[in-house]
Structures are given as C-alpha cells and as structure tokens.
Amino acid sequence: MSNARKPANASVAAKSFADIMAAADSGRPTKTVQVCFSTDLHDRYTALDNELAEALEAERQQKERAAAPEGKASGQRMVSHRRSKAVEDEMQALIDDNPHAFYDVKIQAARHSEWVQAKAEHPPISDIRNDSLGVHWDSFLPVAIRMCMVDPEPTDEVLTFLGESMTTGEWDRLGLVAFQLSEGVRETPKSRSLTSIPNGSADG
C-alpha cells in the first residue's frame, strides 16, 4: 500500500467554471432599503429618522469632547442621554404597529455589461439639472430599479404598485441605491439628495 499523501483537497469535487460564474453573480453587492406606502407614516418616520441623525451626531460630539485631553484634565465625564436609543425604539414601534405600511426592498448591483448598455441608452440632457449623474434620470430611473430590484420581484404589476404607492422621494431613493451599488461607489453623489419628497407619486 502506498504511503503517499493525497492532496488536502483530493476529496473535494473540482468546481466547474459555471459554478464560479454563479457564485460571482450571487455575490454582487446588495442593500436593503426600507420603504413606506403611507404618506402620513412616511412623514412621521422621516421626522424620526432626521431626529435620530441629530441625536447620533450629538452623541458623537459628546464622546469626542470627553476623549479630548482638556476634557480628561478637567475630569469631565461623558453623560450620554441615549436619545438615539429612544428614537430608534420609537421608529421600530411605528413599523411594528403598521406592518403593512413598510417593506424592506432588496436592491442588487446590476451586471456590468447590462448597466453600461442601459446608461448608453439613456444619455443625459445637458439642460436638465437632474441629469448630473451622467444619465437622463427620469427615463433611466425605472430601468435601473427593474434591473436591480431583487425582492420583491420587479414584475410589471409590482413596479406599477410601487410607482403609485410610494412617494416620489422614495422611488427616487431606490434608483439612487441601484446607482450606488452598480457604479461601485461608497456614497451616492451629493448632486442627488436622498431626502424623500413627502407628497406626490412616481411615474413608475
């Protein structure tokens, strides 16, 4: 009997290139975006979201002051009121009490070739401010969402419902996330605001 050692991976079946391609496809960057289908709840949730951002920033500044040399020298201690935790709890309670008004939409980066082609088919119109991302945003937006939305499945029926039920700002935000993921950027360019527009519906 041979005492030769077998390679460590001898018992593992070799992957086919199809397996590699499938793994790469499923590994495209994804992000979950919470949307709201009620204008009243959307306004309340947005106000809480803004309040949370302010609370987190105040707590961050408080930590920095406490960690500063002059803060330590004076014996200053950080006392966090944890307002952010209270706001987070209020936001979650709003969702728990209205489960049919909120949904976590899953967005995945588009395949590179499809994304490049879609952008080429919707070139910017130079005199329109919203086209600063390098595409004609109004026509490109529904295409980007259809390409990148994973859950719910972007059927015509689903997209029509979203377009009629979501605010313009919420619809715009889905497109911005699709743009961010597909372009491989960490942050959406500041020329497009993530602030939702409370009144109005998208042309989905």
Side-chain angles (χ1 to χ4, degrees):
M1 179 180 296
S2 173
N3 291 325
R5 297 182 60 187
K6 294 182 179 180
N9 60 350
S11 60
V12 179
K15 291 183 179 180
S16 68
F17 199 73
D19 293 332
I20 295 174
M21 290 192 295
D25 190 56
S26 62
R28 283 179 284 145
T30 61
K31 185 173 183 178
T32 299
V33 182
Q34 186 175 77
V35 299
C36 180
F37 304 118
S38 165
T39 300
D40 292 340
L41 292 176
H42 173 272
D43 292 348
R44 176 58 181 154
Y45 190 86
T46 300
L48 287 171
D49 195 35
N50 292 335
E51 187 176 347
L52 175 61
E54 293 175 359
L56 289 172
E57 176 61 20
E59 290 169 13
R60 184 191 66 79
Q61 293 179 5
Q62 189 177 33
K63 288 180 181 179
E64 287 184 352
R65 288 194 297 270
E70 57 272 20
K72 294 179 180 179
S74 62
Q76 177 182 357
R77 296 183 61 186
M78 183 190 75
V79 180
S80 174
H81 298 292
R82 295 300 298 163
R83 174 57 184 162
S84 63
K85 179 63 169 60
V87 177
E88 287 176 346
D89 290 343
E90 192 171 349
M91 293 171 73
Q92 188 59 51
L94 192 65
I95 296 171
D96 293 342
D97 292 341
N98 302 276
H100 298 297
F102 294 89
Y103 193 82
D104 289 338
V105 175
K106 185 177 180 181
I107 303 293
Q108 184 177 59
R111 295 179 180 85
H112 178 71
S113 59
E114 295 176 357
W115 183 256
V116 170
Q117 180 179 345
K119 289 178 65 177
E121 293 172 352
H122 298 271
I125 300 176
S126 60
D127 60 347
I128 296 182
R129 177 179 59 84
N130 286 352
D131 289 0
S132 58
L133 293 183
V135 293
H136 180 34
W137 187 252
D138 289 343
S139 64
F140 182 72
L141 175 57
V143 174
I145 293 175
R146 183 184 289 273
M147 289 175 61
C148 298
M149 191 164 68
V150 177
D151 181 23
E153 183 182 353
T155 63
D156 290 342
E157 181 181 10
V158 167
L159 292 174
T160 297
F161 174 81
L162 292 178
E164 293 176 348
S165 304
M166 294 168 58
T167 65
T168 301
E170 292 277 77
W171 181 255
D172 202 49
R173 186 160 62 103
L174 289 182
L176 287 168
V177 172
F179 185 94
Q180 174 187 10
L181 293 175
S182 299
E183 290 286 317
V185 295
R186 290 183 178 273
E187 296 181 0
T188 304
K190 293 182 180 180
S191 57
R192 299 292 303 175
S193 173
L194 284 178
T195 303
S196 299
I197 301 172
N199 295 311
S201 61
D203 296 328

